[in-house]
Amino acid sequence: MKKLIERLIIFFAGVPLILGLVYIPFFNHLPLNLLVFGVSAFAAYELSLMFGTNGQTLARPLLMCLAPMLPICEFLNIIFGVDYLSTVALIVTSFIVFAVEIFTAKEFAMSNARIARSLCVILYVGFLPSFVTRISGMEFSFARLATFLVLVFISDSAAWLFGMLFGKNNRGVLLASPNKSVAGFVGAYIGSFVFAVIMTHFVFKDAFATTNLLQKTAVLSAVVCSAAIIGDLAESVFKRSAEVKDSGNVVLGRGGVLDSVDSIFMAAPFYYFLLKFLFA
């Protein structure tokens, strides 16, 4: 019951706060992007901690600096119109990972693991959230960002609600997260589709005006929901491998920062490219 109350508090207080940041258009959604940069850095800390201590990754402060460089450079792309900056950032951060391992390692038995895990941290909590920044630079940015966040939040909340109400006898379908239920997955897709229709057809219809809107909305909701689920399950795998329950304990009712944004990170690139291809 305590966790339920904490989760409801976060939903009814946190979601409006995040959408409030999205609503502020100042300097290409600078407040929202500052949050993205900070979350990227803190998520890098949590993920590198889960990947292990004693030389399992490169130095944690280094990864906390490298990961947010990707969304920061994407923001600079928007401001200065230099399209290749984010690509350069990905190349340079990868170069730094290799160079640091080459010149600082005292033994190389763990080099492959350190490099792979460090690059995974940068890609997962640096590259993926950079697409949130990309969306902030699009036309109708508020409408599209708000729709994206609502779809992810509703997908997660509907999965939890349906799982709680109807999932008692259909749990354990996935070893990565045994508490997840078939009913929860069905609820996630239903909730995502219903709110996608509401957002694209009524709330922000000008931002999504296109032919075959219902069919495109169905594709959008299904893909975003699927990506959000995979993002959540991927982090479950990380936690099970690390033998921890949560990525941290800084978010009431949810655990760590990464526990709260894993679905957003994974879904953002899919949502961005669907906007480009279906709603351009």
Side-chain angles (χ1 to χ4, degrees):
M1 179 61 69
K2 179 183 176 183
K3 190 166 185 178
L4 170 62
I5 294 173
E6 290 176 344
R7 192 180 181 105
L8 290 173
I9 291 172
I10 286 296
F11 182 83
F12 287 109
V15 172
L17 178 62
I18 298 299
L19 292 177
L21 284 178
V22 173
Y23 184 73
I24 302 173
F26 173 73
F27 204 60
N28 293 101
H29 296 280
L30 179 60
L32 174 68
N33 280 298
L34 288 175
L35 178 64
V36 171
F37 307 154
V39 166
S40 176
F42 204 89
Y45 170 82
E46 291 183 341
L47 186 55
S48 61
L49 193 64
M50 280 196 288
F51 280 171
T53 55
N54 301 323
Q56 300 294 310
T57 65
L58 296 183
R60 202 161 292 125
L62 174 64
L63 296 178
M64 291 177 68
C65 292
L66 293 180
M69 289 306 300
L70 278 75
I72 288 172
C73 284
E74 191 58 56
F75 185 70
L76 294 176
N77 272 352
I78 296 170
I79 300 302
F80 298 109
V82 185
D83 292 337
Y84 54 79
L85 271 181
S86 54
T87 303
V88 170
L90 183 58
I91 294 169
V92 170
T93 52
S94 301
F95 173 83
I96 291 172
V97 168
F98 288 116
V100 168
E101 181 65 21
I102 290 168
F103 292 111
T104 66
K106 294 180 173 57
E107 49 79 27
F108 298 100
M110 292 298 298
S111 289
N112 289 347
R114 273 194 295 270
I115 290 171
R117 288 168 178 158
S118 299
L119 290 176
C120 182
V121 170
I122 291 169
L123 288 173
Y124 191 72
V125 302
F127 178 68
L128 295 183
S130 72
F131 284 88
V132 176
T133 300
R134 292 192 189 199
I135 298 166
S136 73
M138 301 180 77
E139 189 179 10
F140 303 111
S141 56
F142 166 67
R144 291 176 167 183
L145 281 167
T147 298
F148 169 63
L149 292 173
V150 166
L151 290 186
V152 175
F153 293 150
I154 290 299
S155 172
D156 178 68
S157 299
W160 170 77
L161 180 61
F162 273 63
M164 185 178 66
L165 294 177
F166 310 113
K168 182 178 179 180
N169 298 317
N170 48 76
R171 300 185 191 278
V173 293
L174 287 175
L175 187 60
S177 187
N179 286 329
K180 296 287 193 298
S181 64
V182 174
F185 291 130
V186 172
Y189 284 101
I190 292 174
S192 180
F193 175 70
V194 169
F195 273 82
V197 170
I198 292 172
M199 300 299 279
T200 60
H201 284 66
F202 302 102
V203 180
F204 297 124
K205 60 182 181 180
D206 291 339
F208 295 93
T210 183
T211 57
N212 302 315
L213 180 57
L214 184 61
Q215 294 91 323
K216 292 179 180 179
T217 298
V219 171
L220 184 72
S221 67
V223 172
V224 169
C225 184
S226 298
I229 290 171
I230 292 298
D232 180 56
L233 292 173
E235 207 230 339
S236 293
V237 171
F238 293 152
K239 290 188 290 188
R240 288 193 172 276
S241 181
E243 298 182 341
V244 296
K245 187 177 185 298
D246 298 310
S247 66
N249 56 8
V250 298
V251 181
L252 185 69
R254 297 200 55 99
V257 168
L258 192 54
D259 293 318
S260 303
V261 298
D262 48 10
S263 297
I264 294 174
F265 282 6
M266 186 63 73
F270 291 92
Y271 181 77
Y272 171 80
F273 284 114
L274 285 174
L275 288 180
K276 299 283 283 186
F277 293 139
L278 298 181
F279 299 95

